DNA sequence: CAGTATCCAGCTTGATACTG
DNA sequence: CAGTATCAAGCTGGATACTG
């Protein structure tokens, strides 16, 4: 169901903006989406730290840990330590993390739409007959 | 329709991550969501620069212009200049900008779900019987 | 009215080296 | 294996002053 944006209440709009921004803050960070994506593709099977390193070749150890910590603090992933030598640490999506699915598909859908606009060259800019300028 | 994340193709996963990240880059910036939100609430009526300033009290002129420029470059909003004295500049959502609606509602929905989790205290952490540690 | 121009503090990312 | 520590570069946001 499409939500209506015909909202004349400014406080309501503020609340929506704040909610969206809060979600974006959780997702932003160069590697967070990649991490979440790998965990989703794993279909519930937890991934070890070394597996994530292998699946995401370009990330540095420092960044991977940093982003994992962030996701953990926002309750998107769960970290489990098995007290062994050598150590074994697994990461898995929480319920909340798994619930990001619809939002992520919506973002992908928009990206695809955008790609089509680029190809077709929609919404052209230029100078109108009556002197208005779009730039 | 829920998209399946059971994607065994690593290149496909990479493409998805890249698409989502590209969308996030467009949306991120402290005031962009607020601006888009106000333009959506205006139901197609363009807003003047001064109107946006009034609707978003905490933003500085510099930031408002900067964020508007960014949105314009990503083809989310269209800027129209009316050659008058004093100058008159209007901003409106493009087709692509308007199409952000579903993605934004998905982000709001997740934010609401998250709020409920906070209230209910889901996915608790702690030490398991068998020695595993979640922290 | 609708911007520009400067300067500056803080955060994010990355390279690199080291460790229980 | 799974981290920590340190340093440095670049980007983001904000305060402030000025302008066609």
């Amino acid at each position: 169901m499409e939500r209506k944006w015909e909202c004349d209440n400014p406080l309501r709009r503020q609340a929506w903006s704040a909610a969206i921004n809060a979600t974006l803050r959780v997702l932003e960070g160069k590697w967070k989406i990649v991490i979440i994506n790998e965990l989703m593709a794993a279909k519930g099977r937890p991934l070890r730290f070394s597996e994530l390193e292998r699946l995401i070749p370009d990330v540095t150890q420092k960044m991977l840990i940093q982003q994992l910590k962030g996701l953990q603090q926002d309750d998107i992933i769960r970290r489990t330590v098995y007290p062994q030598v050598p150590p074994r640490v697994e990461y898995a999506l929480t319920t909340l993390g798994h619930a990001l699915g619809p939002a992520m598909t919506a973002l992908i859908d928009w990206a695809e739409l955008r790609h089509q606009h680029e190809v077709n060259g929609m919404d052209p800019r230029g100078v109108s007959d009556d002197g208005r300028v779009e730039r």
Side-chain angles (χ1 to χ4, degrees), chain A:
Chain A
M1 185 184 63
E2 173 91 19
R3 188 175 314 214
K4 293 293 168 288
W5 237 277
E6 313 192 352
C7 178
D8 293 331
N9 184 340
L11 276 82
R12 189 90 187 267
R13 291 206 298 276
Q14 265 196 315
W16 281 356
S17 294
I20 298 172
N21 272 140
T23 306
L24 291 180
R25 298 291 161 267
V26 170
L27 262 28
E28 93 191 17
K30 196 166 176 183
W31 305 100
K32 287 187 181 174
I33 291 295
V34 184
I35 294 167
I36 294 170
N37 214 181
E38 292 299 337
L39 288 173
M40 284 195 171
K43 306 171 217 176
R45 184 176 70 84
L47 295 180
R48 297 186 59 163
F49 183 80
S50 52
E51 284 184 288
L52 285 166
E53 267 190 306
R54 194 172 34 73
L55 287 165
I56 313 170
D58 288 350
V59 76
T60 61
Q61 265 194 339
K62 179 203 157 191
M63 282 312 297
L64 183 53
I65 289 171
Q66 191 172 300
Q67 305 272 293
L68 286 168
K69 270 187 183 163
L71 290 172
Q72 197 189 338
Q73 271 166 18
D74 287 327
D75 207 22
I76 308 302
I77 64 175
R78 180 177 17 255
R79 176 177 183 270
T80 309
V81 180
Y82 295 86
Q84 308 175 353
V85 181
R88 171 197 181 91
V89 180
E90 286 183 347
Y91 294 90
L93 288 175
T94 60
T95 309
L96 195 58
H98 193 78
L100 280 169
M104 291 176 63
T105 57
L107 293 170
I108 292 177
D109 288 345
W110 185 81
E112 279 172 7
L113 187 72
R114 186 193 189 200
H115 183 247
Q116 285 162 29
H117 273 242
E118 273 173 16
V119 172
N120 298 345
M122 309 283 286
D123 281 343
R125 299 107 189 264
V127 182
S128 322
D129 296 347
D130 55 358
R132 288 173 308 160
V133 176
E134 292 170 19
R135 200 180 342 137

